[in-house]
Structures are given as structure tokens and as C-alpha cells.
Amino acid sequence: MELCDDAMRFVSALDGTRLRIGHWPSTGGSDKRAVLCHGRTEFLEKYAETIGELTARGFDVWSMDWRGQGASDRALKNSHKGHIDSFESYLADLTWFFNTILGPSNIETFLLAHSMGGHITLRAILEGRIQPHRCILSAPIIDLPMQGFSRYAITGLCRLMNTIGLGGRQVVGTGDYDPSSVKFDGNPLTSDRQRFEAIHAAIAANPKVTIGGPTFGWLDAAFRSVLVLRNLSQRSPPTCPILLFTAMADTVVSVTAQTAISAALPNCEQVQIADARHEILHETDAIRQQFWDAFDRFTAHG
């Protein structure tokens, strides 16, 4: 499936930031909708295959590019820098999206969110900002995979860089997106070469969506939000039914933190997918089929 430009438009959020949103009606009329929330660096076109699979299942699909990435407005002059002042800005955008763009409706709303999007949506649910009927999380950022002294050192460095006004610098070891350095072998995201190459072909076709490494400010904001999410989950608050997919070969986010939060939330079911890397929805057909089988069972309950 290719995404038609007519399905996407720009709308100004509450603070005037232009966000790109998309809407794709189901193929045969629908009484349910899916809200698709991407991860860091991602963009609408990257999920063309998933959107087609959702519309074929009878879902109206809505999505948006987070501020600071995709075709939405960027925070810094260098558009390659993945930056945010606070995850509160993401949360405000998601709440605005639900209240203003989607609006009140009796239509069943299913939320499908990946990685950073999973973190934001789970926080929004636990804080009572949004009320989807059901939520599906794909490899959400519950925590980052670092422990001990290295975690202490990195969090301290991020706080320091922010405090002295250097939060807009990219984290050491990262940089701008460089297509010449893109290599399938050894990548932590997917074991499917064709889908990996399709992602970077989509970036080449629309360089506006390009983004590189995160800033110290983004990473500091992420660490702060991780603590908030942990505190929220420890209260075992009531939620809508949640299906959480964990990619067991994931090295991008913490697998153990996903298991811990699944146990802490009374209405959460975890599905562990062996051999899956971080981007489950861009993995091999066999891995993706495991996702869709569980998804279909979960959403059939209504």
C-alpha cells in the first residue's frame, strides 16, 4: 500500500506547532478505529504496510507525526536532531489529537503504539488523559537497557548538559542521518532485509522526514518520563485492556522492564515473541504473523 497525499494534512497544535496527521478509511465501512502512534524517528509513510493491514481488518486508521520528526515542525534549526523539551509536549499533543482531531465518538477506539509512542500512550492512559477501548503496545519504552554505573553516568551527563544550556547537542556517538552509513547487517531493528531497505527508500523519496540521533535534551526528558511511568505503574491503576508485545531479541529498549510493568498492571497481557528485534511490525513474515494472530484475538473481544 502506498499512502496518498490526500490522506494527510497539517494541523496546528495548541501551541501553534504544525503536526502532520493522516486518516485512512477502512476498505468496507467501519464501526471501529485504530490510532497508530509511532516511535522515535518514525513517520507516516513507514507504516504504509501496517495501515493497509488495519484498513483491511475494518479499521479506520488515524495517525500523526510527532512534533520534532516526520514532516511535522522541528524544534531545532538542524532538523536532523531528535529533540524535545519534555515528554509533556508529546502528551499534550496526543491529548489534543484525541480531543480535537478525533473528537467525541461512540466508535470503538483501539490504540496501537510502538516504542516511544508506546511510552507516551501508556502514560496518557495511566494519567487519565485519554480513554481508548483497548491498547496494543509494540516494544514500548518502559525503560532503557542500561544499568549500574553506566546508567548513573549517562543520566547525570544528560542533566548536566541540559542545565548548562547544551541540551540541543546530539548524544555522543550519534549524528545526522547519513544514507551512506545505513547497513542492514548488524542492525538492531529488524531481521527482514526487504522491509529494512523499504524504510530507507521511503526516507530517500521524502528527505523531509529524515532524522538522526537524539539530543541530550531528548534523552534527559526520556529518563525523567521513565521515572514518572514507573511511579504510575506501581500504583496498579485500572486501565483499559492492554496487550503488550515484547521482542525478545530487542537491544534498543529494556525487555525486563516490559515484563515488570505487565505484571504490575492488572489488565495487561504480555506476548513474548522469540527472535524478534525491536521493530516487530517491520520484522519477517513469520514474526509479524505472530503479532497479527494475537492482535486479532485481542481486538475480536471488542
Side-chain angles (χ1 to χ4, degrees):
M1 175 180 176
E2 291 187 7
L3 301 187
C4 176
D5 289 342
D6 292 343
M8 297 177 279
R9 59 191 172 100
F10 289 90
V11 181
S12 293
L14 295 176
D15 65 352
T17 299
R18 284 199 332 150
L19 303 179
R20 186 175 64 156
I21 66 171
H23 176 218
W24 298 269
S26 71
T27 55
S30 176
D31 58 355
K32 56 187 178 180
R33 62 189 176 189
V35 179
L36 181 59
C37 296
H38 311 147
R40 197 193 81 83
T41 79
E42 297 188 316
F43 49 96
L44 297 179
E45 291 88 347
K46 182 173 177 177
Y47 281 85
E49 183 179 18
T50 299
I51 291 168
E53 290 163 317
L54 287 168
T55 57
R57 283 171 164 77
F59 289 92
D60 276 355
V61 180
W62 291 85
S63 190
M64 71 172 173
D65 285 340
W66 295 112
R67 64 174 58 219
Q69 61 188 58
S72 293
D73 284 351
R74 305 297 174 94
L76 303 177
K77 184 176 181 180
N78 180 352
S79 62
H80 285 254
K81 292 182 176 182
H83 184 71
I84 197 69
D85 52 348
S86 166
F87 271 41
E88 180 62 36
S89 295
Y90 293 137
L91 287 158
D93 288 343
L94 182 62
T95 305
W96 161 83
F97 187 76
F98 263 73
N99 293 339
T100 303
I101 302 301
L102 297 180
S105 175
N106 293 325
I107 298 175
E108 279 193 296
T109 300
F110 297 78
L111 202 159
L112 171 55
H114 172 65
S115 193
M116 183 187 82
H119 177 102
I120 297 163
T121 57
L122 185 54
R123 257 197 70 179
I125 290 170
L126 295 180
E127 292 176 1
R129 302 188 191 216
I130 60 173
Q131 292 85 34
H133 291 86
R134 287 178 176 259
C135 179
I136 302 96
L137 303 176
S138 163
I141 298 178
I142 306 303
D143 202 351
L144 299 174
M146 53 188 74
Q147 300 295 330
F149 178 77
S150 62
R151 184 187 185 90
Y152 177 81
I154 292 171
T155 55
L157 177 61
C158 290
R159 298 278 169 90
L160 174 63
M161 294 294 280
N162 244 357
T163 300
I164 64 177
L166 297 178
R169 292 195 176 185
Q170 282 169 312
V171 173
V172 177
T174 71
D176 293 353
Y177 177 82
D178 178 8
S180 67
S181 66
V182 172
K183 294 179 176 59
F184 171 75
D185 293 338
N187 87 86
L189 303 179
T190 174
S191 56
D192 189 286
R193 182 183 292 273
Q194 184 175 355
R195 290 189 173 96
F196 177 88
E197 292 176 349
I199 292 167
H200 295 282
I203 294 172
N206 185 12
K208 184 185 299 184
V209 303
T210 301
I211 191 171
T215 63
F216 284 103
W218 185 93
L219 194 54
D220 183 44
F223 280 125
R224 291 176 186 272
S225 193
V226 160
L227 292 176
V228 173
L229 183 59
R230 181 184 302 163
N231 289 334
L232 287 167
S233 66
Q234 287 173 349
R235 301 169 190 169
S236 298
T239 67
C240 64
I242 297 172
L243 185 64
L244 190 157
F245 288 91
T246 297
M248 297 306 290
D250 199 339
T251 60
V252 177
V253 300
S254 171
V255 170
T256 56
Q258 290 173 24
T259 300
I261 203 168
S262 298
L265 297 177
N267 213 9
C268 182
E269 173 190 354
Q270 184 187 32
V271 175
Q272 297 182 352
I273 303 183
D275 301 324
R277 300 182 197 178
H278 182 58
E279 294 187 354
I280 297 170
L281 285 165
H282 295 91
E283 262 287 4
T284 63
D285 289 346
I287 287 173
R288 295 180 85 253
Q289 191 59 53
Q290 294 179 63
F291 172 90
W292 287 117
D293 286 347
F295 176 96
D296 290 338
R297 287 194 299 271
F298 183 70
T299 57
H301 292 294

